[in-house]
Amino acid sequence: MTAITEEHTKQNEDVQFSIPQRIGYAAGDFANNMSWALVSGYLMYFLTDVALLNATAVGFMLMVPKLFDAVVDPFIGDLADRTETRWGRYRPYILFACIPMLILNILTFSTFLSWSEGGRFAWASVTYVLLVVAYSLVNIPYSAMPAVLTRNTEARSSLSSYRMTAAFLSATLLAFFLLRIVDWVGGGDAAAGYQRAAIIFSLLALPFYIWCFAANKEVVKIPHVKVSYRNLFGTLVGNGPVWTLAGAFFCWGILLGATSMRLYYFRYNADNELLFANNTTIQSALSMVGAISITWLVFKVRNKSTLPQIGFVVAGLASIACFFIPIQTDTGVVLYYAMSVLFGIGQGMILASLFGMVPDTTEYTIWRYRILAAGFVSAFITFAMKVGTAISTAGAGWVLGWIGYVPNEQQNDTTLFWINFFCHVFIGSLCLVGAICLRFYRLDKKSYANMVADISARGDDQVVEKM
């Protein structure tokens, strides 16, 4: 197998992306969030209060596909690593898998109230499991792609910063407009409103996927050899950076799943459903500030894990403070908005930093195990996040069932207390645990630079399989 030439390697390491190229990469996550933010923020509420399914059953229904998808993800990542086309390894998935994914996005937010509850539950289960797998076919190659766009660690952080900024911009637009569009196009029919809103946002996503595909080129040409699954999973043994990131993403996944309770909080505790839209808009907008700040903050730290640690602590303390705010008063609303600003900035710092750290584990894996596994490693870290999301999403449904939640009715004080606790204290605590996980991330900038130099010096750019 031919090693990468010194000239080509240097070219790849020194790649600095223009702003149009960075925006082009970010367009992919703008599109992703037309599904991700829609599902994570609204699907549980849609299934309990619009499709009128039992909350406990919905919890199980949302957990099982996520767990299945989490198990499948590493194999999707390996499939992407093995793919070789004239467009590269990862770009083709963005172009060709997005169409079935967007169709399933619409079907998942479709329900038929004339059907029996069993029929509605079966429809929701099938469409959702297909959606989460289709989404992985797009998102895992997309997340792995920076590893073949550049070896410059700051450039990767910049790409991640732009990516998360675009993701939060997408989430901001969706947060502000979704409930308004549901009312507008539904004409009082919530089921029709959600379905038509899903159609609008899915159609909006398509050109951004095409833009992402067209704007990027895979320039880090690392030959790939066939690696057995035994050896692939062997790269996880003792792989400290991967396990540390997996722990942080697991906490983030639990936090993300728990946010599915927020719409219930604003509807029943605050008695103002549109306040959810306005608050989420502010939170997402400030997340863009936190994400874009990583572009220059990353140059100020020796270890990239410092930034998401700060983000986790800020977001966690802000979330816990929200538990004590009297949300039904004018002062309470203002205080809640202030805490949402802090949570949003922290959230943006967390995600932009974490996703910028994932590609660095590709070189660590090559350096230690002499195996290219960018897609596999990215998928494993995503696996941890999805397991966390599955557990907490199911937990939200179980909590609603346990506390006696009744859709579209006034809730009792006990129910309101636990909705508030789950939304704020639980989420805030998980943020603090995420910060603790990242204290164990040892792949700082100096060790990363030495590692890349060692890879080049010993010829491991060839990525030979460890036998």
Side-chain angles (χ1 to χ4, degrees):
M1 184 180 300
T2 304
I4 301 175
T5 66
E6 180 179 348
E7 178 182 357
H8 190 74
T9 301
K10 185 177 188 303
Q11 174 189 351
N12 292 335
E13 292 174 351
D14 292 342
V15 168
Q16 295 293 332
F17 292 95
S18 67
I19 290 178
Q21 288 173 310
R22 298 178 195 186
I23 294 174
Y25 177 72
D29 231 21
F30 183 93
N32 278 342
N33 271 271
M34 293 299 171
S35 175
W36 180 265
L38 185 64
V39 168
S40 60
Y42 300 89
L43 183 58
M44 175 173 279
Y45 178 82
F46 171 78
L47 293 175
T48 59
D49 286 46
V50 179
L52 301 179
L53 299 177
N54 176 270
T56 303
V58 167
F60 280 105
M61 191 218 85
L62 295 178
M63 179 182 71
V64 173
K66 277 290 185 184
L67 290 177
F68 170 74
D69 182 48
V71 172
V72 169
D73 276 1
F75 298 97
I76 292 177
D78 180 54
L79 175 65
D81 285 338
R82 295 169 186 258
T83 299
E84 293 193 21
T85 73
R86 61 192 179 95
W87 299 297
R89 284 193 174 98
Y90 307 115
R91 290 171 64 225
Y93 290 90
I94 296 170
L95 182 64
F96 296 112
C98 73
I99 294 176
M101 188 272 285
L102 292 174
I103 292 172
L104 287 162
N105 198 42
I106 297 167
L107 296 179
T108 299
F109 280 89
S110 301
T111 192
F112 309 95
L113 295 176
S114 60
W115 292 8
S116 67
E117 183 173 358
R120 297 195 306 274
F121 184 83
W123 171 268
S125 300
V126 171
T127 54
Y128 182 60
V129 71
L130 292 175
L131 173 63
V132 294
V133 173
Y135 182 84
S136 291
L137 283 169
V138 176
N139 189 57
I140 288 175
Y142 174 77
S143 297
M145 198 161 62
V148 293
L149 297 181
T150 179
R151 275 191 173 150
N152 185 297
T153 184
E154 280 87 5
R156 288 174 175 177
S157 291
S158 180
L159 281 174
S160 180
S161 175
Y162 273 75
R163 169 190 178 175
M164 287 298 108
T165 302
F168 289 127
L169 174 60
S170 177
T172 300
L173 293 174
L174 193 144
F176 182 81
F177 286 109
L178 181 71
L179 293 178
R180 293 172 170 89
I181 289 175
V182 168
D183 288 341
W184 174 47
V185 301
D189 183 345
Y194 272 96
Q195 182 188 56
R196 292 165 188 170
I199 292 172
I200 291 170
F201 286 109
S202 296
L203 289 174
L204 179 60
L206 183 58
F208 286 91
Y209 279 126
I210 296 172
W211 183 7
C212 179
F213 171 84
N216 290 282
K217 184 178 180 182
E218 299 183 16
V219 297
V220 179
K221 305 294 184 182
I222 304 178
H224 181 70
V225 295
K226 186 176 181 180
V227 180
S228 68
Y229 282 115
R230 176 176 174 272
N231 284 335
L232 275 177
F233 282 97
T235 64
L236 301 178
V237 178
N239 197 327
V242 168
W243 281 102
T244 302
L245 285 181
F249 270 97
F250 176 77
C251 292
W252 178 258
I254 292 183
L255 184 156
L256 186 66
T259 59
S260 60
M261 192 78 86
R262 292 184 72 245
L263 184 49
Y264 298 93
Y265 172 78
F266 282 102
R267 179 173 179 186
Y268 297 107
N269 292 62
D271 196 27
N272 189 342
E273 194 171 281
L274 275 183
L275 187 59
F276 170 77
N278 296 336
N279 177 264
T280 305
T281 300
I282 290 175
Q283 193 176 101
S284 297
L286 270 296
S287 293
M288 287 188 281
V289 175
I292 200 66
S293 70
I294 299 303
T295 298
W296 63 271
L297 285 176
V298 71
F299 292 99
K300 309 293 183 181
V301 295
R302 288 179 294 179
N303 190 321
K304 290 161 72 173
S305 72
T306 301
L307 300 175
Q309 286 180 61
I310 294 171
F312 268 126
V313 171
V314 170
L317 294 179
S319 182
I320 292 171
C322 286
F323 175 77
F324 302 98
I325 291 175
I327 192 62
Q328 290 193 332
T329 67
D330 292 340
T331 301
V333 171
V334 172
L335 289 173
Y336 199 97
Y337 279 149
M339 292 302 102
S340 294
V341 168
L342 294 176
F343 186 90
I345 292 173
Q347 176 177 248
M349 292 179 65
I350 293 165
L351 287 185
S353 299
L354 289 182
F355 280 105
M357 292 160 66
V358 171
D360 294 352
T361 63
T362 298
E363 277 74 34
Y364 181 85
T365 304
I366 293 172
W367 175 74
R368 177 163 181 173
Y369 305 94
R370 307 184 77 180
I371 292 175
L372 170 65
F376 176 81
V377 166
S378 176
F380 176 74
I381 293 170
T382 302
F383 162 85
M385 181 178 70
K386 289 185 176 179
V387 170
T389 303
I391 292 171
S392 63
T393 301
W398 299 338
V399 166
L400 288 174
W402 169 62
I403 62 182
Y405 169 75
V406 180
N408 305 308
E409 299 288 344
Q410 178 62 45
Q411 310 303 317
N412 61 44
D413 289 343
T414 300
T415 300
L416 295 176
F417 171 86
W418 284 109
I419 290 175
N420 187 10
F421 183 89
F422 201 80
C423 281
H424 300 117
V425 176
F426 181 73
I427 286 177
S429 299
L430 263 295
C431 285
L432 299 180
V433 173
I436 293 171
C437 286
L438 288 168
R439 293 288 297 169
F440 299 94
Y441 188 81
R442 306 301 183 196
L443 190 58
D444 59 22
K445 290 181 181 179
K446 182 178 180 181
S447 60
Y448 176 82
N450 291 338
M451 181 182 65
V452 170
D454 193 28
I455 290 172
S456 180
R458 71 189 191 187
D460 282 347
D461 284 43
Q462 300 177 74
V463 194
V464 294
E465 179 178 0
K466 183 178 181 181
M467 301 303 292

